[in-house]
Amino acid sequence: MTSNSFARFEKWLDLMKKKDLEATQKKKKQRTNIPPIRKNNDKFNLKKQTNTTKTEKKQKNDKSNKQKIENFTVPTVEEILSTSSEEEEITVKKEPEKKKRISSYDYDGWDKLIYEEKKKKQLIDEALEHKAKGNKCYGSKKWKEAITHYTKAISIYDGDHIFYSNRAACYLKIKMYKSAEEDCTRALQIDPKFIKAWFRRGLARKNLKNYRFAIKDFKKVLKLQPENQASVKEILAINKQIKQDNPLNTSQKTNSSKQTKAKAKPNTQRNAKTNNSNSKKIENERKQLEKIQEQLLGLNVTPLKNIKQKQVNKPQIQVIDKNENEDEKLKQNKKKKEKSSSLKTENKIINEKENKKVTTNKKTEQNYNNTKKNTNDQKTTANTTTTPNTKKTKTTPNNKTDKENPKKQQTSKVAQLKSIKVSIPSTSPKTFFEFEKIWRQFSQIQNEDTKLDSKNKYLEIINPQILPKIFQNSFSVEYFVEILQILQYRLKINKSPNESMKSNINKILYYISQIPRFSMAFMFLSRKEKQILTEIIAKTNVQKNQLYLKVRKLYKM
Amino acid sequence: MNKKQKEQEIFKIYAEKSMPITAYDIKWMGDSGKFVLLGMGTSGQGSFTINEVVKGKKINVIKSFQQSASIKCGSFGISEISSRKLVVGDFSGNFGIWDLDEGRRTPIMRVQGAHTSMINSICCAGGGDEYSGHGSPEVCTGGHDGAVKLWDVRQKQKPIFQYAANSQTSDDCWSVSLGSAHDNTNRLLASGHESGAIHLWDLRNTSVPLIDETTNQGVCSLSFDQVSKPANSLLATCVNSTIAVLQIKDSKLVKQDVSQYLGESWLTIWHGEWAKSTNIKNQNKNKSKFVLSDSDGVVHLVEKNGKSFEFLHSQAISSQAISSFSIHPQNPSAFAFTSFDTKTRISYCSLFD
């Protein structure tokens, strides 16, 4: 079977061998009909080549040096590829746009020129007549008649951009957006600086829901004519529509950019760069729009909000010992990053006002990104004796006492800690950042019962469906273990749980299993923790419930 | 394997061999049964080898060439089909023209610094015959810096045409293709980017692109259905299991997520090409058919019906991704596949004979 099926293929292979031999033995003919080097309008360059950086200059120098070497070594083979200088002259003559110098004795040439010019004029005049008719119809709102007139004009004379753009305007009125877009591109091919065509094409694309390119066109209008307010309005309108259509559009884009190809490349950091580039794109576009708004509209426009920068409801921490000069302490603590992590848990003495000042600044995000310890340092004011800041601070009554009696200090700290009450926020978190902040506050409470109690209450607020979105890629064994402890605690208190409670626990377990990297965390559980899991699942047995069965399967019970 | 399974194998593998190169690209050589494998050699340098398919299901390595920067892509088509000049683009942004018949160890011509970072894809047209199009010999390169540049072989100091993206938003250009070169002046240039943007320029007037479309998924490969005749459609294969076909006259884009046929929704479709056939009878049948290769090692034969795609046949050829494949210009039933499991496979598909 196989030999027959490949018979034709093998015949062809034999043929190809013969041809191969012929090809190598053949003398290579020079190609005679190569057209000259193409000359194109280089106007469509977003980045102009004139901005040469140092690296480009170096490359140019290298090129020139190496060209000399290559030109020297390879004269014969290049002849095949390169044309002689004669053909290059032909290009110049054939260009009708440039004004040629016709010598005074070239009567034929003059005659031709005059004849061609006359013809052109006649054609253009005819076409302009039709265009005038079209304009009249446009004025009296007869769109389709206007289109017929404009098409006649185009059929007579091809090269006037105004005909195309006028026809595009008519198409826009009839809502034939695709043909409007095409007409605008043709107009722009003739005259790429014609503002009306860019604007109309933007409108057409907007209505075709091609938002990205529509914004590009409107930006081009602004480049050519910075005072154009209509285009700014259009850009804002488009942004609104994008948000209406897809409220999570930006987050989806960043997710899709993460799913790049896994090609074998020498630079493995490339994928990371693409992620950043996509998110940077969006941010840059927004920043540009903000600038435009401020310049042109002259109003204090509220900046477009990013989903990430939403304001967090901060927990209200009751103050027990008020210190007056804590502002200054905070500032000084921010500047010096200290590794007094053992004394982190001392003194959560912050007023509400100070909390707002600290957390609404951008520094919180930066510090969070830098080290996790810093968040605690912001909230806690490490006591003055333990830090070298004491010399700089303005003296307070507490400072003096602390310097004298460090031991008394520690006992007072412990007392303060025990008496701290952390209140639970009323709204559920929407990002991992929020969740972790609040979670960490709870974990600093020393009394275990209250810890678990407050964490439990916090968990109750969170809708379990959101859990995968909150955790995304930051799920770890520690959180898993903590959640299991909380659930255990819940069942301790309510020894005979309701059905609603059981279903709630089942839901939590189910949605935890949907978090990415769940399987990794599951593998790293110790025996004790798995025992806890089995207990929980056994206790929350709901008969004939699909969720329960799913949970059992997922946790392999 | 059962008889039924054998009959269902449309891409019958004739020969396979494992090569010491990690191959990124493969191209058949015209007027012969040889093909060229391009990629990175064992010690990180760039190398490409000429191999021949021989009767008796063998592949012989004939010659190998080396250069310092590892090679990403290559293409014939800058000269007639019987004169073997290969254009090779590499990871450091240079490209060079090699003459394979002479067998020189260095390229005839080299353009240094064509791009500031690596050249992702390269395409040539203008060889002067029906396989590589008419007109002047031109090379088009698309780079990691987002720029698309068109070079004429006679002028290597400066590109004839370039499309450079903004420095802030460098939209990585992943694929480039030339087509519709049926005349001395006519030519179309298509570029596909990481953001999914497809730009199509008519090279007679490049002030404004002819068509601007997006597929919203990074475009891995582009292919015109005709090089030496006026092209009707452009095939774009993308990341995340999507395909798109752009009809040039209407500028309509038909885009579809084909994860149901492939089995997963996160597969990248590395390469796609329109299928052709030698018989005139079969040409009408196979007009709207194309071949895809994806990252699972599966090759698909797909047909476009109006606004939807129909998967006629899928066949698993390798266990790892098939990075590229090539259809022989003179025999559209001969396929050559490379994949990341270091094996190259030559297969014969009787449908297109």
Side-chain angles (χ1 to χ4, degrees):
Chain A
M1 280 295 288
T2 52
S3 59
N4 282 334
S5 54
F6 288 124
R8 283 197 74 175
F9 190 63
E10 292 186 339
K11 271 188 192 176
W12 174 77
L13 281 177
D14 288 334
L15 232 191
M16 285 292 119
K17 253 195 175 178
K18 290 180 191 173
K19 275 201 173 181
D20 193 13
L21 284 174
E22 286 175 14
T24 50
Q25 288 165 2
K26 233 205 273 184
K27 277 187 185 176
K28 287 163 195 174
K29 299 176 189 173
Q30 286 197 21
R31 226 180 114 194
T32 49
N33 59 347
I34 302 178
I37 297 177
R38 197 189 294 270
K39 290 199 178 179
N40 275 320
N41 296 326
D42 259 355
K43 290 178 188 174
F44 192 71
N45 277 335
L46 294 177
K47 181 186 177 190
K48 290 189 180 175
Q49 211 184 12
T50 53
N51 299 328
T52 55
T53 57
K54 281 185 188 177
T55 53
E56 287 180 28
K57 283 181 186 172
K58 276 187 191 175
Q59 283 173 1
K60 280 184 185 174
N61 286 331
D62 288 336
K63 271 188 212 175
S64 58
N65 286 331
K66 286 182 184 176
Q67 278 170 23
K68 291 177 191 172
I69 299 167
E70 281 180 314
N71 284 331
F72 177 70
T73 54
V74 193
T76 53
V77 184
E78 269 192 349
E79 278 174 12
I80 301 168
L81 299 174
S82 67
T83 55
S84 53
S85 56
E86 294 169 357
E87 285 185 307
E88 283 179 14
E89 286 173 8
I90 295 167
T91 56
V92 177
K93 282 186 188 175
K94 278 188 182 176
E95 274 184 324
E97 294 171 356
K98 282 190 182 174
K99 289 184 180 175
K100 325 159 213 175
R101 265 209 83 203
I102 302 176
S103 68
S104 46
Y105 302 106
D106 187 5
Y107 300 116
D108 287 338
W110 279 111
D111 284 343
K112 268 191 190 175
L113 233 197
I114 292 165
Y115 176 70
E116 281 171 11
E117 282 180 355
K118 264 193 186 176
K119 245 198 174 180
K120 246 196 180 181
K121 272 190 185 175
Q122 281 176 5
L123 290 173
I124 290 173
D125 288 337
E126 267 194 72
L128 285 173
E129 283 175 21
H130 285 287
K131 178 194 156 192
K133 287 184 197 171
N135 287 342
K136 272 189 191 175
C137 294
Y138 190 89
S140 54
K141 300 199 179 180
K142 296 177 187 175
W143 314 121
K144 295 191 178 178
E145 284 189 34
I147 288 176
T148 53
H149 286 298
Y150 289 131
T151 44
K152 268 190 190 174
I154 289 169
S155 65
I156 295 170
Y157 178 61
D158 220 5
D160 191 347
H161 52 275
I162 299 178
F163 299 161
Y164 286 111
S165 76
N166 284 357
R167 199 170 69 169
C170 297
Y171 278 131
L172 281 176
K173 298 282 182 180
I174 309 179
K175 304 192 179 180
M176 290 174 66
Y177 296 119
K178 197 69 190 179
S179 18
E181 189 190 343
E182 286 171 9
D183 271 347
C184 289
T185 46
R186 284 184 208 127
L188 289 170
Q189 280 180 344
I190 298 167
D191 180 7
K193 288 191 180 178
F194 191 44
I195 297 169
K196 282 187 191 176
W198 286 109
F199 188 79
R200 283 170 188 161
R201 197 171 77 163
L203 285 176
R205 284 177 168 175
K206 175 183 131 188
N207 285 310
L208 290 169
K209 302 206 174 178
N210 195 351
Y211 293 126
R212 218 167 158 222
F213 289 107
I215 291 180
K216 275 192 184 177
D217 286 344
F218 287 125
K219 281 188 186 174
K220 187 79 183 181
V221 173
L222 285 173
K223 271 191 194 176
L224 295 168
Q225 199 185 60
E227 318 96 34
N228 191 327
Q229 292 199 10
S231 50
V232 174
K233 286 183 191 173
E234 293 292 335
I235 292 175
L236 293 174
I238 290 175
N239 278 326
K240 273 188 192 175
Q241 275 202 359
I242 290 174
K243 276 190 185 176
Q244 280 175 12
D245 291 344
N246 256 334
L248 293 171
N249 197 13
T250 53
S251 63
Q252 281 175 11
K253 273 186 186 176
T254 53
N255 281 333
S256 66
S257 70
K258 285 176 189 172
Q259 295 168 6
T260 53
K261 285 197 256 189
K263 275 189 179 178
K265 283 172 187 165
N267 292 327
T268 53
Q269 290 173 2
R270 191 170 169 271
N271 284 328
K273 281 182 194 172
T274 53
N275 293 336
N276 287 332
S277 67
N278 264 326
S279 56
K280 274 181 197 172
K281 261 189 234 176
I282 298 160
E283 286 176 25
N284 284 327
E285 282 179 6
R286 281 193 170 149
K287 282 181 191 173
Q288 286 175 15
L289 280 174
E290 284 173 30
K291 279 185 196 172
I292 293 168
Q293 286 177 39
E294 286 171 13
Q295 285 171 13
L296 294 177
L297 301 180
L299 301 169
N300 292 328
V301 180
T302 56
L304 299 171
K305 288 182 185 175
N306 240 342
I307 292 175
K308 289 179 190 174
Q309 289 176 3
K310 277 195 178 170
Q311 286 184 352
V312 178
N313 281 326
K314 289 119 205 166
Q316 300 162 359
I317 298 176
Q318 291 180 3
V319 174
I320 291 155
D321 281 336
K322 292 186 183 177
N323 279 332
E324 295 173 40
N325 293 326
E326 284 157 5
D327 282 330
E328 296 151 11
K329 281 188 199 174
L330 280 173
K331 287 177 193 171
Q332 288 151 9
N333 281 327
K334 272 189 227 168
K335 289 176 189 174
K336 296 200 176 180
K337 298 179 189 177
E338 288 147 15
K339 294 189 181 179
S340 58
S341 56
S342 58
L343 301 168
K344 255 194 268 177
T345 55
E346 300 165 6
N347 279 346
K348 264 198 192 178
I349 305 166
I350 302 170
N351 278 322
E352 289 181 24
K353 292 180 191 174
E354 293 163 354
N355 202 5
K356 282 182 190 173
K357 282 184 201 170
V358 169
T359 53
T360 48
N361 286 332
K362 289 181 186 178
K363 289 178 188 175
T364 56
E365 285 188 0
Q366 288 174 4
N367 285 328
Y368 171 77
N369 288 330
N370 289 332
T371 59
K372 290 187 181 178
K373 292 176 189 174
N374 279 332
T375 52
N376 282 321
D377 283 336
Q378 286 170 18
K379 290 170 193 169
T380 66
T381 58
N383 220 355
T384 52
T385 52
T386 59
T387 70
N389 284 332
T390 53
K391 296 174 189 175
K392 290 189 183 177
T393 58
K394 296 181 185 175
T395 56
T396 62
N398 273 337
N399 280 336
K400 286 182 187 174
T401 56
D402 291 332
K403 280 183 191 175
E404 293 165 12
N405 295 322
K407 284 190 185 178
K408 280 190 188 175
Q409 208 184 54
Q410 285 177 5
T411 52
S412 65
K413 281 177 212 169
V414 169
Q416 284 164 9
L417 275 175
K418 283 189 180 174
S419 51
I420 284 173
K421 296 177 188 175
V422 181
S423 73
I424 296 150
S426 52
T427 58
S428 73
K430 292 189 183 175
T431 60
F432 184 63
F433 177 61
E434 289 178 43
F435 175 78
E436 202 181 359
K437 239 204 222 177
I438 297 167
W439 202 256
R440 237 191 251 114
Q441 286 173 13
F442 291 145
S443 51
Q444 286 167 6
I445 304 170
Q446 275 202 342
N447 187 356
E448 289 219 13
D449 281 338
T450 51
K451 225 203 241 182
L452 286 174
D453 190 31
S454 41
K455 282 190 184 180
N456 183 20
K457 286 182 186 173
Y458 188 53
L459 240 192
E460 281 175 1
I461 296 169
I462 304 175
N463 185 2
Q465 283 184 5
I466 302 177
L467 283 173
K469 281 184 191 174
I470 293 177
F471 278 108
Q472 285 186 348
N473 284 326
S474 335
F475 193 59
S476 64
V477 191
E478 298 158 359
Y479 284 110
F480 200 7
V481 167
E482 283 181 352
I483 290 174
L484 287 179
Q485 285 174 357
I486 293 165
L487 293 177
Q488 194 189 31
Y489 172 76
R490 242 193 235 181
L491 290 170
K492 256 193 202 175
I493 295 176
N494 303 323
K495 288 187 181 175
S496 58
N498 301 333
E499 284 215 13
S500 63
M501 228 194 135
K502 288 185 191 177
S503 66
N504 194 14
I505 293 178
N506 280 335
K507 271 188 192 176
I508 291 176
L509 286 175
Y510 176 68
Y511 282 107
I512 286 174
S513 69
Q514 303 293 318
I515 299 174
R517 292 200 194 158
F518 160 75
S519 47
M520 290 282 289
F522 187 64
M523 276 193 330
F524 282 112
L525 287 180
S526 68
R527 265 191 205 176
K528 280 187 191 175
E529 288 141 10
K530 282 193 181 172
Q531 277 176 11
I532 296 172
L533 241 189
T534 49
E535 282 175 21
I536 294 170
I537 291 177
K539 284 186 186 176
T540 60
N541 182 4
V542 181
Q543 287 181 349
K544 298 181 184 177
N545 189 0
Q546 282 185 358
L547 235 193
Y548 178 67
L549 295 172
K550 274 187 197 174
V551 167
R552 265 186 116 180
K553 273 188 193 175
L554 288 165
Y555 287 85
K556 298 175 189 174
M557 303 284 170
Chain B
M1 284 204 292
N2 300 331
K3 272 193 180 179
K4 277 189 186 176
Q5 282 177 348
K6 276 192 184 177
E7 282 168 6
Q8 279 174 4
E9 260 192 11
I10 289 182
F11 295 96
K12 295 173 192 163
I13 295 179
Y14 182 70
E16 74 177 33
K17 184 170 179 175
S18 69
M19 303 285 190
I21 307 177
T22 52
Y24 294 117
D25 203 359
I26 188 170
K27 285 275 153 48
W28 281 105
M29 232 156 76
D31 254 1
S32 70
K34 298 179 185 170
F35 63 91
V36 176
L37 244 192
L38 302 130
M40 186 164 75
T42 45
S43 50
Q45 87 281 34
S47 75
F48 63 93
T49 57
I50 306 180
N51 312 286
E52 185 170 18
V53 183
V54 165
K55 227 178 176 180
K57 301 196 179 180
K58 285 184 199 169
I59 298 176
N60 293 336
V61 179
I62 292 177
K63 245 186 201 176
S64 79
F65 298 83
Q66 262 105 34
Q67 69 168 34
S68 54
S70 56
I71 293 174
K72 185 80 203 300
C73 48
S75 153
F76 288 101
I78 205 156
S79 55
E80 297 109 21
I81 203 156
S82 56
S83 84
R84 311 333 176 10
K85 290 195 177 61
L86 176 70
V87 181
V88 164
D90 63 20
F91 273 72
S92 48
N94 314 324
F95 73 89
I97 304 181
W98 298 68
D99 189 338
L100 300 178
D101 276 339
E102 271 193 50
R104 285 174 72 220
R105 294 270 141 190
T106 50
I108 309 168
M109 188 178 105
R110 171 173 281 185
V111 176
Q112 300 269 13
H115 287 265
T116 52
S117 49
M118 84 178 178
I119 295 182
N120 272 319
S121 105
I122 202 167
C123 185
C124 310
D129 56 5
E130 57 184 87
Y131 302 108
S132 43
H134 303 273
S136 43
E138 284 171 350
V139 177
C140 182
T141 59
H144 174 50
D145 52 1
V148 178
K149 299 189 183 180
L150 184 74
W151 309 80
D152 189 305
V153 158
R154 300 161 277 182
Q155 182 187 306
K156 60 178 190 177
Q157 301 89 353
K158 190 177 100 163
I160 291 172
F161 163 73
Q162 66 173 357
Y163 166 73
N166 283 326
S167 55
Q168 287 172 342
T169 65
S170 61
D171 201 3
D172 212 345
C173 175
W174 277 351
S175 64
V176 146
S177 175
L178 288 169
S180 185
H182 59 95
D183 206 343
N184 270 350
T185 48
N186 267 303
R187 200 165 289 181
L188 291 176
L189 200 171
S191 73
H193 297 259
E194 182 185 355
S195 63
I198 301 177
H199 300 291
L200 188 72
W201 282 279
D202 185 346
L203 290 179
R204 290 176 290 175
N205 191 339
T206 53
S207 49
V208 154
L210 195 63
I211 297 175
D212 263 339
E213 292 279 353
T214 41
T215 56
N216 294 321
Q217 308 285 354
V219 179
C220 297
S221 90
L222 292 169
S223 113
F224 281 98
D225 60 345
Q226 300 276 12
V227 171
S228 55
K229 293 178 191 170
N232 290 321
S233 43
L234 171 71
L235 169 70
T237 64
C238 313
V239 163
N240 286 334
S241 316
T242 53
I243 330 173
V245 171
L246 177 68
Q247 282 174 331
I248 295 170
K249 285 184 188 170
D250 315 332
S251 60
K252 269 190 212 170
L253 185 74
V254 177
K255 185 178 54 164
Q256 193 179 349
D257 183 334
V258 292
S259 46
Q260 42 173 320
Y261 300 107
L262 303 181
E264 309 268 359
S265 66
W266 44 262
L267 293 178
T268 61
I269 303 177
W270 286 75
H271 197 76
E273 266 190 51
W274 292 95
K276 295 163 195 170
S277 54
T278 45
N279 270 340
I280 297 174
K281 284 184 200 175
N282 284 336
Q283 263 174 16
N284 279 328
K285 266 194 212 172
N286 297 333
K287 209 178 184 182
S288 50
K289 288 189 186 165
F290 52 90
V291 181
L292 304 172
S293 73
D294 67 9
S295 57
D296 249 354
V298 183
V299 175
H300 308 270
L301 179 65
V302 188
E303 180 166 13
K304 177 174 178 274
N305 282 327
K307 287 193 175 179
S308 67
F309 299 105
E310 199 187 309
F311 273 64
L312 302 175
H313 181 73
S314 307
Q315 185 177 331
I317 284 184
S318 140
S319 58
Q320 302 211 14
I322 295 179
S323 55
S324 162
F325 66 87
S326 167
I327 304 180
H328 199 285
Q330 289 158 319
N331 182 3
S333 61
F335 287 78
F337 299 97
T338 54
S339 84
F340 286 135
D341 64 354
T342 72
K343 287 193 178 174
T344 57
R345 296 170 176 83
I346 308 292
S347 88
Y348 167 71
C349 176
S350 53
L351 283 180
F352 304 118
D353 208 349

